[in-house]
Amino acid sequence: MAGNTFGTAFRVTTWGESHGTAVGATIDGCPPGLKITTQELQKEMDRRRPGTGGAASPRNEPDKVEILSGIYNDTSTGTPITLIIHNKDAHSKSYDHLAQIFRPGHGDITYLKKYGIRDHRGGGRASARETAARVAAGAVAKLVLAQKAINICAYTIELGGIKAGERDLTEITNNRLFCPDSQAAARMEERIAEVKKENDTLGGIVEIRAQGVPVGLGEPVFDKLDGELARAMMSIGAVKGVEIGSGFAAAAMTGSQNNDPLTPDGFKSNNAGGILAGISSGVDIVVRVAVKPIPSIAQEQDTVDLDNKPIKIKIGGRHDISAIPRIIPVCEAMMALTLTDHLLRQRAIAG
Amino acid sequence: MAGNTFGTAFRVTTWGESHGTAVGATIDGCPPGLKITTQELQKEMDRRRPGTGGAASPRNEPDKVEILSGIYNDTSTGTPITLIIHNKDAHSKSYDHLAQIFRPGHGDITYLKKYGIRDHRGGGRASARETAARVAAGAVAKLVLAQKAINICAYTIELGGIKAGERDLTEITNNRLFCPDSQAAARMEERIAEVKKENDTLGGIVEIRAQGVPVGLGEPVFDKLDGELARAMMSIGAVKGVEIGSGFAAAAMTGSQNNDPLTPDGFKSNNAGGILAGISSGVDIVVRVAVKPIPSIAQEQDTVDLDNKPIKIKIGGRHDISAIPRIIPVCEAMMALTLTDHLLRQRAIAG
Amino acid sequence: MAGNTFGTAFRVTTWGESHGTAVGATIDGCPPGLKITTQELQKEMDRRRPGTGGAASPRNEPDKVEILSGIYNDTSTGTPITLIIHNKDAHSKSYDHLAQIFRPGHGDITYLKKYGIRDHRGGGRASARETAARVAAGAVAKLVLAQKAINICAYTIELGGIKAGERDLTEITNNRLFCPDSQAAARMEERIAEVKKENDTLGGIVEIRAQGVPVGLGEPVFDKLDGELARAMMSIGAVKGVEIGSGFAAAAMTGSQNNDPLTPDGFKSNNAGGILAGISSGVDIVVRVAVKPIPSIAQEQDTVDLDNKPIKIKIGGRHDISAIPRIIPVCEAMMALTLTDHLLRQRAIAG
Amino acid sequence: MAGNTFGTAFRVTTWGESHGTAVGATIDGCPPGLKITTQELQKEMDRRRPGTGGAASPRNEPDKVEILSGIYNDTSTGTPITLIIHNKDAHSKSYDHLAQIFRPGHGDITYLKKYGIRDHRGGGRASARETAARVAAGAVAKLVLAQKAINICAYTIELGGIKAGERDLTEITNNRLFCPDSQAAARMEERIAEVKKENDTLGGIVEIRAQGVPVGLGEPVFDKLDGELARAMMSIGAVKGVEIGSGFAAAAMTGSQNNDPLTPDGFKSNNAGGILAGISSGVDIVVRVAVKPIPSIAQEQDTVDLDNKPIKIKIGGRHDISAIPRIIPVCEAMMALTLTDHLLRQRAIAG
């Protein structure tokens, strides 16, 4: 049983390969009567596009999203919305030599062993290009959330070992790395430049915050909101860890430190990250994800070929130094898809 | 839409409240022909029982599991298996004074606001008692996995800030905390005793390891194995963070450090934690979870009552100092349920 | 992937075998705040009980339903509701000689070939006894529907080839066969007596009607309300045909005959059976099902044993002459489960 | 919660409106390694195209199917397959006067009341055009089934009240109506011509037969194969009734007449229609569906407008006289999708 659908009430299925005709998303369950234009969706797409800066790949995709169904007179009708993003700038030839080799840190070997066949061009379905479809669908979800004044933003709090000190969210749009500490951002850029010379890559940590989420979202016991968010984030290729609120730090805290006391004005602290017993508590939802360094490096690495013979590999091509910042809108999209789904699910319960 | 079912091909629905008649699990999709006895299931149940040691609650439940359906002549028939564990030692009266108050760190407030009603007795459905049903279902899953020589074990690597140094898995059964470093375990016990005197509680970190998992489990892109495991673990009440392989440490590594080179004898390292692009790679799957300190503390805390009036609360009752070690078999159960589900899902694909 | 769950938002999983410990149902997604008592549920159970009349089996089950979870102070809490009906009067011994033989018209052979094992006692899971759990869950669904003034009733319009002429619904409770034409009911009883002497059995047709259903239920294109009802009804063992509104008669009509003209006062006719394009139209939903004669007959029949050797079989035991009238509350339950599910699903859409 | 997805292991989501950009289908769960070409899929599409004969609409769509994803080197890779059929010959203008009126027998009124908005052009999503996507997806399913030597064919056994006498399946391709009795087909054509002059339309009955289905498909108790087929067929807009095997005729039979005795050579008869207790028995699966007359008639009819004012309507445009024969490949597609889904589901169970 395949797993290309996300969500229960607001269901998104993504499809398409990195070097195929197109990638796309089909949304089933979008509420009718929602104002949706390609212009609005395109804004989100543009945030995810490869830039020309140090960390970004020079692959130049316009990433133009088109609406194929479900919207009439710029308004959702309640029928499935299909969004398509054509692939334009795919250089499949540059992947030909990789058809016989497994790239370390990539899914080449697991895809082949799972399916007995793989579309090796550009990583096929395992490529980060698939996330373009998520961002498109997430843009629709954000419109649903906006109606309820729910807002999502993601930002870089660590990159290449450099941590953001300040958490000034107004600072995020002032630097290319979506970092709430512009001074740290500058040091991160230096680190990127450094590592680029070494033909290496970097990881980091992204924090995703949702504001305005009403109390009551999340379905105990297995579809707890934190569990759903953990899956959502971990379904992004580069993510290797997820934590909510105080997260791993909670492991070293005592109950009296970690509990969030209640007052008539609300919670005194937010170690819970906005989720109690799997249900949103009405305060900010705070999630952090660990982003691994991009595995495509231009250094020589040991690997094997299809016959399990040892071989050296050095990956050229057009690759980013870090999944950050391009992963930022993807993280936001996954948060938006999760919250929208649970918003609709809660309606079924509360009437 | 409620969320009390876990899995797609091997589906487990748990039901029951802490102080109701019983808790139970219904499994739909268990392969027929599997040898299952209550004795076998009871072994797992007994591992989760409250002990008499320092960290454990004195609530004394025999936790006797009974089979209501789906098994004939000690063999699964392919029909739904319902397991029931009756509640015997529930002291609901001791919760009466809590009906009007929200306990900090608990789901009291979110349950009430979500549903408009709550069964406050013993935490109702949000109680850790619900996990008894998971352990019972997980015991069945373990029998499915055993047929494929897949083995799961979980162990404590940090408690109250004290870290296990050694990782000697043979050591796990030699101490009550399932710690692979018995010396660290002794220090953890001291820390427990200390904190108990302070009427406080502790968190920690548990590592869960699956050995013998074949390559090919996990369904990209949204049902990646790591995403599914993240949800599985985060659906346990006390868990606030999940990481796979190098996890959060990967954020500070470079690609050349984090990639696992391939050799004809297999991977040189396992930073990926046994999962590449969401698909198991054939080596050990390694997951770590952050366990928060138990929120029920005997210290005085600020909270509010149903009328949002401020009130002081001090929680007595029979409570553990740490969710560890009782969470250990629960983590194993969730790993077992996830892997069994994906084992069956892969059959549908591979034929 | 097993299939013991019905519904999406109001999900019911039934479990249990005819001669096992119990049969039961677990409901996930019941709205919180609903008044539910065992007394109320028991009323529905009692309608399904084997009577002592000509058509009914003498197996004497009290069919006492118990609530195991999800209800606190006679009120649903939003958590899973598990209902259990213990098996008391199972005479498994009388089935011993059937362990090696496939009964014609039964699932003995298909169950064994599908699963490689079967619980032959009383037909195991394929027994009509499983429908006791459906009736219990359906009783909960009826309480949800009652809040919206939706009412369901089923009645016999044909039995043993004898058709009801009148359709006086007030007449239904005046005869044991739930027939809206008491004179026809008397002739049906004669036919039953006749066929009983011949050691044979009878089929018939049941009509199920839902009144007060609001416009807008049903999810095009695959989860159309008529499609969902068709599946619901055909999932009852004895049902071999389903039709909506004019049904099979529509095949011989012209468009001008079959269309239901619209007037300011509503539809002039109801050939559509209350469903247009898969969505309820606000008038009565009318479904008819073809019920096959019970396959357990006391006449000698040809069959084979486990070794595919020919053998004669004559089925004694305690069997009904017709699935009617006991199937009546089962049909109502399936209608109730379907409508409740779509009522909740529509909430998620309409907000 | 929307309902545009069919299937569990072989999942098909259709999307698109009659007069939008395109209609399409996304298949998730197609086994990898399957040979698939557009040429092969196009063959099925061509069978559904509007002809130029008496019963068919003159709308001239080339119905050219394109593959957007999931297939590499003419081989399925296990990733989602998206198929698209662009709309070319949509005359939306001819529907402008219908924006304010509800056509009798159509979903205009229910769509509007459900969603609060509707795309009235060509019936939007409720149009039979949506079935083009089903046929495309069904063509893929047929390729999966062909590997197991499972074959599906549908044919007309009644049209406009005229019944096929013979059931010579070799005759089906010899007449435009896919009728196994060519003499009856000729009389059906006469009836079509007659009714066309009267500006009226016709219904009929289609039988769908699957040959070569292995024993063991279907998931009791709710996902019985007959229940799933009933839903599949009833999800086709024009279908108002479904029966399996002896179907409604069984209602008037006795058990001794309806039971299919077993012999060492198999079943003596097939009143069960190839399904026992919801599981395929290894003989032909036989389903019949009642097709209602097309509601778009050129006669004057009573209806109301958006303000519930009475109005007369006469529907011009390009409409068929009967959904037969164009519904034939759609019925086959739904049978193919259902069987493929259960073929894969059974793999998960049987290993």
Side-chain angles (χ1 to χ4, degrees):
Chain A
M1 284 203 44
N4 294 281
T5 297
F6 185 86
T8 301
F10 188 87
R11 298 175 67 76
V12 175
T13 305
T14 71
W15 44 269
E17 281 81 27
S18 181
H19 289 208
T21 306
V23 296
T26 300
I27 303 169
D28 200 15
C30 183
L34 188 71
K35 184 95 183 167
I36 302 175
T37 62
T38 46
Q39 289 73 20
E40 200 65 38
L41 305 184
Q42 192 61 43
K43 281 186 208 164
E44 283 294 315
M45 299 309 297
D46 291 346
R47 294 181 64 212
R48 188 200 152 275
R49 280 187 60 196
T52 49
S57 128
R59 176 171 171 176
N60 195 2
E61 285 286 3
D63 272 3
K64 202 170 150 31
V65 65
E66 295 168 60
I67 295 167
L68 292 180
S69 67
I71 292 173
Y72 176 56
N73 285 341
D74 291 343
T75 312
S76 66
T77 61
T79 62
I81 298 172
T82 290
L83 306 172
I84 189 169
I85 304 128
H86 281 88
N87 294 327
K88 304 271 189 199
D89 190 37
H91 292 192
S92 298
K93 285 257 152 65
S94 68
Y95 283 86
D96 275 2
H97 67 292
L98 294 175
Q100 310 298 319
I101 307 179
F102 301 125
R103 293 169 299 162
H106 279 281
D108 300 351
I109 190 167
T110 51
Y111 261 75
L112 184 64
K113 294 208 171 170
K114 180 180 184 68
Y115 297 112
I117 179 178
R118 76 183 170 107
D119 180 351
H120 71 280
R121 302 166 305 160
R125 180 88 180 131
S127 165
R129 178 137 189 85
E130 179 269 333
T131 61
R134 301 191 190 197
V135 170
V140 174
K142 283 185 173 184
L143 294 174
V144 177
L145 296 175
Q147 291 189 319
K148 304 284 175 186
I150 301 171
N151 178 54
I152 293 165
C153 68
Y155 39 90
T156 305
I157 59 168
E158 185 178 324
L159 199 157
I162 294 155
K163 295 183 200 313
E166 298 288 314
R167 297 281 169 100
D168 180 355
L169 299 192
T170 64
E171 205 55 34
I172 294 172
T173 48
N174 292 337
N175 62 79
R176 194 185 61 98
L177 296 173
F178 298 91
C179 181
D181 174 346
S182 283
Q183 289 193 313
R187 292 201 306 280
M188 291 171 185
E189 292 283 12
E190 286 167 26
R191 182 83 182 109
I192 288 169
E194 203 175 280
V195 161
K196 193 172 191 174
K197 280 185 216 146
E198 295 162 3
N199 289 325
D200 218 334
T201 56
L202 292 172
I205 298 179
V206 170
E207 186 167 282
I208 309 103
R209 183 176 291 264
Q211 297 165 315
V213 180
V215 67
L217 306 194
E219 298 301 327
V221 296
F222 293 115
D223 296 359
K224 287 189 169 93
L225 190 56
D226 33 6
E228 296 272 272
L229 287 168
R231 174 167 92 100
M233 297 303 164
M234 203 76 103
S235 79
I236 305 171
V239 173
K240 296 303 283 182
V242 184
E243 58 179 16
I244 312 280
S246 55
F248 273 88
M253 292 162 80
T254 61
S256 61
Q257 291 165 338
N258 191 57
N259 279 354
D260 301 312
L262 273 154
T263 75
D265 300 325
F267 295 95
K268 273 191 191 173
S269 52
N270 190 13
N271 286 313
I275 302 173
L276 271 172
I279 302 168
S280 63
S281 65
V283 296
D284 280 12
I285 292 177
V286 183
V287 179
R288 276 178 301 282
V289 300
V291 180
K292 75 172 185 178
I294 282 181
S296 292
I297 58 175
Q299 291 185 22
E300 195 173 80
Q301 296 179 87
D302 286 321
T303 191
V304 294
D305 65 13
L306 293 189
D307 302 320
N308 203 32
K309 293 274 164 55
I311 193 166
K312 299 286 184 188
I313 188 174
K314 193 187 279 191
I315 300 172
R318 302 167 296 170
H319 298 288
D320 295 342
I321 297 306
S322 174
I324 296 171
R326 291 185 63 199
I327 206 173
I328 296 274
V330 181
C331 292
E332 288 183 13
M334 292 314 299
M335 172 74 95
L337 294 178
T338 306
L339 292 180
T340 302
D341 188 40
H342 279 274
L343 194 69
L344 303 191
R345 288 175 74 168
Q346 174 62 3
R347 286 184 188 178
I349 288 161
Chain B
M1 282 203 43
N4 294 282
T5 297
F6 185 86
T8 301
F10 188 87
R11 298 175 66 76
V12 175
T13 305
T14 72
W15 44 269
E17 280 80 27
S18 182
H19 290 209
T21 306
V23 295
T26 300
I27 304 169
D28 200 16
C30 182
L34 187 73
K35 184 94 183 167
I36 302 175
T37 62
T38 45
Q39 289 73 20
E40 200 66 37
L41 305 184
Q42 193 60 44
K43 281 186 209 166
E44 284 294 316
M45 299 309 297
D46 291 345
R47 293 182 63 212
R48 189 197 151 276
R49 282 186 58 195
T52 49
S57 128
R59 175 170 171 176
N60 194 3
E61 284 287 2
D63 272 2
K64 201 167 149 35
V65 64
E66 295 168 60
I67 296 167
L68 292 180
S69 67
I71 293 173
Y72 176 55
N73 285 341
D74 290 344
T75 312
S76 66
T77 61
T79 62
I81 297 171
T82 290
L83 306 172
I84 189 169
I85 302 127
H86 281 88
N87 293 327
K88 305 273 190 198
D89 190 36
H91 292 190
S92 297
K93 286 254 152 67
S94 66
Y95 284 85
D96 275 1
H97 65 293
L98 295 175
Q100 310 298 320
I101 308 178
F102 302 124
R103 293 169 298 162
H106 279 280
D108 299 350
I109 190 168
T110 51
Y111 261 74
L112 184 65
K113 294 209 171 170
K114 179 181 185 68
Y115 297 112
I117 179 178
R118 75 182 170 106
D119 181 350
H120 72 280
R121 302 166 304 160
R125 181 87 180 131
S127 164
R129 177 133 191 88
E130 179 268 334
T131 63
R134 302 191 190 199
V135 170
V140 174
K142 283 186 172 184
L143 294 174
V144 177
L145 296 174
Q147 291 188 319
K148 304 284 176 186
I150 301 170
N151 178 54
I152 292 165
C153 68
Y155 39 90
T156 305
I157 60 169
E158 186 179 323
L159 199 157
I162 294 157
K163 294 182 201 314
E166 297 288 314
R167 298 280 170 100
D168 180 356
L169 300 191
T170 64
E171 204 57 34
I172 293 172
T173 48
N174 291 338
N175 63 78
R176 195 185 61 98
L177 297 172
F178 297 91
C179 181
D181 174 345
S182 284
Q183 290 193 312
R187 292 200 306 279
M188 291 171 185
E189 291 284 11
E190 287 166 27
R191 181 82 182 108
I192 288 169
E194 203 175 281
V195 162
K196 193 172 190 174
K197 279 184 217 148
E198 295 161 5
N199 289 326
D200 217 334
T201 55
L202 293 173
I205 299 179
V206 170
E207 185 167 282
I208 310 102
R209 183 175 290 264
Q211 296 165 314
V213 179
V215 66
L217 305 193
E219 299 300 328
V221 296
F222 292 115
D223 296 359
K224 288 191 170 90
L225 190 56
D226 32 7
E228 296 271 272
L229 286 168
R231 173 167 90 100
M233 296 304 163
M234 203 77 102
S235 79
I236 304 170
V239 173
K240 296 303 283 182
V242 184
E243 59 180 15
I244 312 280
S246 55
F248 273 87
M253 291 161 82
T254 62
S256 61
Q257 290 165 338
N258 191 56
N259 279 354
D260 300 313
L262 275 154
T263 76
D265 300 326
F267 295 96
K268 273 192 191 172
S269 52
N270 190 15
N271 285 313
I275 302 173
L276 270 171
I279 303 168
S280 64
S281 65
V283 297
D284 280 12
I285 292 176
V286 183
V287 179
R288 275 178 303 281
V289 300
V291 179
K292 74 171 185 179
I294 282 181
S296 292
I297 59 175
Q299 292 184 22
E300 195 174 79
Q301 297 178 86
D302 286 320
T303 191
V304 294
D305 64 13
L306 294 189
D307 301 320
N308 203 33
K309 294 270 164 57
I311 193 167
K312 299 285 183 188
I313 188 173
K314 193 187 280 190
I315 300 171
R318 302 167 296 169
H319 298 286
D320 295 342
I321 298 305
S322 174
I324 295 172
R326 292 185 63 199
I327 207 173
I328 296 274
V330 182
C331 292
E332 288 184 12
M334 293 314 299
M335 172 74 95
L337 294 178
T338 307
L339 292 180
T340 303
D341 187 40
H342 279 275
L343 195 70
L344 303 191
R345 288 176 74 168
Q346 174 63 3
R347 285 184 189 179
I349 288 161
Chain C
M1 284 204 44
N4 295 283
T5 298
F6 185 86
T8 301
F10 188 87
R11 298 174 67 76
V12 175
T13 305
T14 71
W15 44 269
E17 281 81 27
S18 182
H19 289 209
T21 305
V23 296
T26 300
I27 303 168
D28 200 15
C30 183
L34 188 72
K35 183 94 182 168
I36 303 175
T37 62
T38 46
Q39 289 72 18
E40 199 65 37
L41 305 184
Q42 193 60 43
K43 280 186 209 164
E44 283 295 314
M45 298 309 296
D46 291 346
R47 293 181 63 213
R48 189 199 150 276
R49 280 187 60 195
T52 48
S57 128
R59 174 172 173 175
N60 195 3
E61 285 286 3
D63 273 4
K64 199 166 152 34
V65 65
E66 295 167 60
I67 296 168
L68 292 180
S69 67
I71 293 173
Y72 176 56
N73 285 342
D74 291 343
T75 312
S76 65
T77 61
T79 61
I81 297 172
T82 290
L83 307 172
I84 188 169
I85 303 126
H86 281 88
N87 294 326
K88 305 271 191 198
D89 191 36
H91 292 190
S92 297
K93 286 255 153 64
S94 68
Y95 283 85
D96 275 1
H97 66 292
L98 294 175
Q100 310 298 320
I101 308 178
F102 301 124
R103 292 169 300 162
H106 279 280
D108 299 351
I109 191 167
T110 51
Y111 261 74
L112 184 64
K113 294 207 170 171
K114 179 179 185 68
Y115 297 111
I117 179 177
R118 74 183 171 105
D119 180 350
H120 72 279
R121 302 166 304 160
R125 180 86 179 132
S127 165
R129 176 133 191 88
E130 179 269 333
T131 62
R134 302 191 189 199
V135 171
V140 175
K142 283 186 172 183
L143 294 174
V144 177
L145 296 174
Q147 291 187 318
K148 304 284 175 186
I150 301 170
N151 178 53
I152 292 166
C153 68
Y155 39 90
T156 305
I157 60 169
E158 186 179 322
L159 198 156
I162 294 156
K163 295 183 200 317
E166 296 289 315
R167 298 282 169 98
D168 180 356
L169 299 191
T170 64
E171 204 56 34
I172 293 172
T173 49
N174 292 337
N175 63 79
R176 194 185 61 97
L177 297 173
F178 296 90
C179 181
D181 173 346
S182 283
Q183 289 193 314
R187 291 200 306 279
M188 290 172 184
E189 291 283 13
E190 287 167 26
R191 181 82 183 107
I192 288 169
E194 200 174 284
V195 162
K196 193 171 192 176
K197 278 185 217 148
E198 294 161 6
N199 289 326
D200 218 335
T201 56
L202 291 173
I205 298 178
V206 169
E207 186 167 281
I208 309 103
R209 183 176 290 264
Q211 297 166 314
V213 179
V215 66
L217 305 193
E219 298 300 327
V221 294
F222 292 116
D223 296 359
K224 288 189 169 92
L225 190 56
D226 34 4
E228 296 271 271
L229 287 168
R231 173 166 92 100
M233 298 303 164
M234 203 77 101
S235 79
I236 305 170
V239 173
K240 298 302 283 182
V242 184
E243 59 180 14
I244 312 280
S246 56
F248 273 87
M253 291 162 81
T254 61
S256 61
Q257 291 165 337
N258 191 57
N259 279 354
D260 301 314
L262 274 154
T263 75
D265 300 325
F267 295 95
K268 273 192 191 172
S269 51
N270 189 14
N271 285 314
I275 302 173
L276 270 172
I279 302 168
S280 63
S281 64
V283 297
D284 279 12
I285 292 178
V286 184
V287 178
R288 275 178 302 280
V289 300
V291 180
K292 74 172 184 178
I294 282 181
S296 292
I297 59 175
Q299 291 184 23
E300 195 173 77
Q301 297 178 87
D302 285 320
T303 192
V304 295
D305 65 14
L306 294 188
D307 301 319
N308 203 32
K309 294 272 164 56
I311 193 167
K312 299 288 183 186
I313 188 173
K314 193 187 280 191
I315 300 172
R318 302 167 295 169
H319 298 287
D320 295 341
I321 297 305
S322 174
I324 296 171
R326 292 186 64 200
I327 206 172
I328 297 274
V330 182
C331 292
E332 289 183 12
M334 293 314 299
M335 172 74 95
L337 294 179
T338 307
L339 293 180
T340 303
D341 187 41
H342 279 274
L343 195 70
L344 303 191
R345 288 176 74 168
Q346 174 62 5
R347 285 183 188 178
I349 288 162
Chain D
M1 285 202 42
N4 294 281
T5 297
F6 185 86
T8 301
F10 188 87
R11 297 175 66 78
V12 175
T13 305
T14 71
W15 44 269
E17 282 80 27
S18 183
H19 289 209
T21 306
V23 295
T26 300
I27 304 168
D28 199 15
C30 182
L34 188 72
K35 183 95 182 169
I36 302 175
T37 62
T38 46
Q39 289 73 20
E40 200 65 37
L41 305 184
Q42 193 60 44
K43 280 186 208 166
E44 283 295 315
M45 298 310 296
D46 291 346
R47 293 182 63 211
R48 189 198 151 276
R49 281 187 58 195
T52 49
S57 127
R59 175 171 172 177
N60 195 3
E61 284 287 2
D63 272 2
K64 202 168 149 33
V65 64
E66 294 168 61
I67 296 167
L68 292 180
S69 67
I71 293 173
Y72 176 55
N73 286 341
D74 292 344
T75 311
S76 66
T77 61
T79 62
I81 297 172
T82 291
L83 306 172
I84 189 169
I85 302 126
H86 281 88
N87 293 327
K88 304 273 191 198
D89 190 37
H91 293 190
S92 297
K93 286 255 153 65
S94 67
Y95 283 85
D96 275 1
H97 66 292
L98 295 175
Q100 309 299 321
I101 308 178
F102 300 124
R103 293 169 299 162
H106 279 280
D108 299 351
I109 190 168
T110 51
Y111 262 75
L112 184 64
K113 294 207 171 172
K114 180 180 184 67
Y115 297 112
I117 179 179
R118 76 184 171 105
D119 180 350
H120 72 279
R121 302 165 306 160
R125 181 86 180 133
S127 165
R129 177 134 191 86
E130 178 269 333
T131 62
R134 302 191 189 198
V135 171
V140 174
K142 283 186 172 183
L143 294 174
V144 177
L145 296 174
Q147 291 187 319
K148 304 284 176 188
I150 301 171
N151 179 54
I152 292 166
C153 67
Y155 39 89
T156 305
I157 60 168
E158 186 178 322
L159 198 156
I162 294 155
K163 293 182 202 313
E166 296 288 313
R167 299 280 169 101
D168 180 357
L169 299 191
T170 64
E171 205 56 33
I172 294 172
T173 49
N174 292 337
N175 63 79
R176 194 185 61 98
L177 297 172
F178 296 91
C179 181
D181 174 345
S182 284
Q183 289 194 315
R187 292 201 305 279
M188 290 171 184
E189 291 283 13
E190 287 167 25
R191 182 83 181 107
I192 288 169
E194 203 173 280
V195 162
K196 193 171 191 174
K197 278 185 217 147
E198 295 161 4
N199 289 327
D200 218 332
T201 57
L202 292 173
I205 298 178
V206 170
E207 186 167 281
I208 310 102
R209 183 175 290 263
Q211 297 165 314
V213 179
V215 66
L217 305 193
E219 299 300 328
V221 295
F222 292 116
D223 296 359
K224 288 190 170 91
L225 191 56
D226 32 7
E228 295 272 271
L229 287 167
R231 173 166 92 100
M233 297 303 163
M234 203 77 102
S235 78
I236 304 171
V239 172
K240 297 302 283 181
V242 183
E243 59 180 14
I244 312 280
S246 56
F248 273 87
M253 291 162 79
T254 62
S256 62
Q257 290 165 337
N258 191 56
N259 280 355
D260 301 312
L262 274 154
T263 75
D265 300 325
F267 295 96
K268 274 191 190 171
S269 51
N270 189 15
N271 285 314
I275 302 172
L276 270 172
I279 302 168
S280 63
S281 65
V283 297
D284 280 12
I285 292 177
V286 183
V287 179
R288 275 178 302 281
V289 300
V291 179
K292 75 171 185 179
I294 282 181
S296 292
I297 59 175
Q299 291 184 23
E300 196 174 78
Q301 298 178 87
D302 286 321
T303 192
V304 294
D305 65 13
L306 294 189
D307 301 320
N308 204 30
K309 294 272 164 56
I311 193 167
K312 298 287 182 186
I313 188 173
K314 193 187 280 191
I315 300 171
R318 303 167 296 169
H319 297 287
D320 295 341
I321 298 306
S322 174
I324 296 172
R326 291 185 65 198
I327 207 173
I328 296 275
V330 181
C331 292
E332 289 183 13
M334 293 314 298
M335 172 74 95
L337 294 178
T338 307
L339 293 179
T340 303
D341 187 41
H342 279 274
L343 195 68
L344 302 191
R345 288 176 74 168
Q346 174 62 5
R347 284 184 188 179
I349 288 161

